[in-house]
Amino acid sequence: DFEGFAPMVVDDFIRIATNYCREIPIVVVFGLATSYESIHQSLTKASISMLNVERFNLQRSKQCIDAAIRSVFVESASVLSFGAEAYKSLLDQFLLYSFSITGFVKKLKFAAMDFFYAQPLSVLSAMVCPGRDGCAAASIRDCPIRLSRDQIELIRMQRSVQRFLDARMDSADGRKYTVQALVDDNFLQDTVIPDMLRQLVSYRQCYSLGISMVLAMQNCLPESFRKPLRTLHYYGISQAFDECTHWKTLSAALRRMKAPEMKQLVERLEAVVTAAKDTDFVFAESKNIDIPALIRKAATLVADPEALPDDGDDDEDQSIKDVARPDMASRRIRT
């Protein structure tokens, strides 16, 4: 913080340090909040002549925090994640007080230490194997140890596990699967836990793709419609994303786009989906949304609105046509 120091103190320090530079190589880093000229305005010519000045620019703190959040929480296969309240507290301490990337990273390290030292189920994180070079999709491997009886019971008590098993009660095979998971410890560890972790990894991949698609949508709209990645992630973990006010405002603006703008939007979305070639869309398809096929049809319709027949039976095709032709009275969109 160069501007916060008295110029004479800095000037004297440079003169003293110069006397020792033959024995000790000394590098002085000035943090400038104003301009490069402030050095020449504050120091004497004699002091400046003792310096070999080189300039470099640092990335803004908010850009650094967005990159860190994307790397740790959005795109990473790591199982370490924060709930909405903890994430908001971490973010508020950064944005409202310090703007310190170092402090943010230290808090993440303490959170990771607490997770691995205080959470008995942290051993399950060893089953998630990240893809090579951060590109390939993560995979699930066998647990390195056999879980104890207490750990097994703790897993069964988790609400997420209960929801996972309840979702399978609709079919006879699913009920058999659920009953065996509740009474057979080996079946729970060797079959149920890997199934849950695969679904978690698939969800994280689709979540990352969804955030990237929303960013692509924002970039096609004016600045007032854009939210930083750190805010989008908070919306994603605090509520159903399509229920938040930002998404409703964003989708309303997208419906008003003209044909050339819509074409640019679909091209960007197509590029995002193509880049996510390792994403497992099984999780998304379970909700009756085939994302790659949806984008391909949208690209075809934007290029030629009559490319697909309008037979009145295919709701998905009709929904895409309504987006591709914003002048139509009916503007249904599947989200």
Side-chain angles (χ1 to χ4, degrees):
D1 299 328
F2 178 76
E3 292 86 352
F5 287 86
M8 292 304 299
V9 173
V10 180
D11 192 86
D12 290 342
F13 174 76
I14 293 174
R15 292 174 181 270
I16 295 172
T18 303
N19 296 327
Y20 297 94
C21 64
R22 291 184 179 181
E23 290 79 18
I24 304 174
I26 299 176
V27 177
V28 181
V29 180
F30 296 137
L32 303 177
T34 54
S35 65
Y36 176 70
E37 285 72 20
S38 61
I39 293 181
H40 295 275
Q41 295 173 357
S42 301
L43 301 179
T44 62
K45 291 183 178 180
S47 296
I48 294 177
S49 65
M50 300 176 184
L51 300 175
N52 180 20
V53 181
E54 295 183 6
R55 298 174 55 182
F56 61 93
N57 296 321
L58 296 179
Q59 197 175 25
R60 294 183 178 181
S61 296
K62 292 183 178 180
Q63 294 175 334
C64 291
I65 203 69
D66 281 347
I69 290 172
R70 177 188 288 274
S71 176
V72 175
F73 295 130
V74 177
E75 295 182 347
S76 173
S78 170
V79 295
L80 178 63
S81 185
F82 283 15
E85 293 184 3
Y87 175 77
K88 188 175 186 300
S89 175
L90 183 70
L91 207 58
D92 286 346
Q93 291 182 23
F94 172 80
L95 295 174
L96 302 180
Y97 297 101
S98 63
F99 277 97
S100 171
I101 298 296
T102 303
F104 182 85
V105 173
K106 285 182 178 180
K107 292 181 176 66
L108 288 181
K109 290 181 178 180
F110 281 121
M113 290 174 61
D114 180 71
F115 174 71
F116 285 106
Y117 282 102
Q119 174 54 260
L121 301 182
S122 60
V123 65
L124 298 179
S125 63
M127 298 176 64
V128 180
C129 180
R132 295 180 179 178
D133 301 326
C135 299
S139 58
I140 304 301
R141 57 190 171 193
D142 295 335
C143 187
I145 64 172
R146 300 304 295 178
L147 300 177
S148 67
R149 177 68 181 178
D150 291 339
Q151 288 175 315
I152 292 291
E153 289 302 323
L154 185 58
I155 291 174
R156 290 190 176 118
M157 293 169 58
Q158 302 302 310
R159 292 182 180 180
S160 57
V161 176
Q162 295 172 10
R163 289 194 298 267
F164 176 82
L165 296 177
D166 289 344
R168 294 175 172 265
M169 293 295 291
D170 296 336
S171 64
D173 292 339
R175 288 190 291 271
K176 181 179 178 181
Y177 181 96
T178 300
V179 172
Q180 194 170 358
L182 294 176
V183 300
D184 189 341
D185 293 351
N186 292 327
F187 180 77
L188 180 71
Q189 176 163 349
D190 298 333
T191 303
V192 178
I193 293 177
D195 288 346
M196 289 189 296
L197 289 178
R198 288 189 191 94
Q199 182 169 318
L200 174 62
V201 170
S202 178
Y203 170 80
R204 293 290 294 268
Q205 291 172 346
C206 292
Y207 178 80
S208 175
L209 174 63
I211 293 293
S212 298
M213 293 178 73
V214 173
L215 289 172
M217 294 175 189
Q218 291 185 156
N219 292 335
C220 294
L221 296 171
E223 190 72 26
S224 58
F225 290 95
R226 301 176 186 178
K227 296 287 186 182
L229 183 138
R230 58 183 180 274
T231 305
L232 295 180
H233 180 61
Y234 175 71
Y235 292 154
I237 62 177
S238 62
Q239 58 187 316
F241 194 85
D242 57 347
E243 296 178 1
C244 71
T245 304
H246 175 64
W247 173 252
K248 293 177 180 178
T249 304
L250 192 65
S251 58
L254 294 174
R255 293 189 184 100
R256 296 193 296 268
M257 295 180 74
K258 298 179 181 179
E261 297 170 337
M262 182 63 70
K263 182 178 180 181
Q264 182 185 24
L265 169 64
V266 174
E267 289 175 350
R268 291 190 179 187
L269 293 178
E270 193 173 17
V272 170
V273 173
T274 302
K277 57 183 179 180
D278 293 314
T279 300
D280 182 4
F281 289 103
V282 173
F283 182 83
E285 290 171 1
S286 66
K287 301 297 183 181
N288 298 320
I289 303 175
D290 188 346
I291 296 177
L294 193 67
I295 297 297
R296 286 194 299 269
K297 290 179 181 180
T300 303
L301 283 169
V302 169
D304 182 6
E306 303 301 330
L308 293 179
D310 186 5
D311 53 11
D313 296 329
D314 194 337
D315 291 338
E316 184 178 289
D317 292 347
Q318 182 62 40
S319 298
I320 300 173
K321 287 186 175 185
D322 294 342
V323 180
R325 292 179 286 181
D327 57 322
M328 297 182 65
S330 174
R331 293 180 176 175
R332 294 174 292 131
I333 184 170
R334 170 172 289 186
T335 58

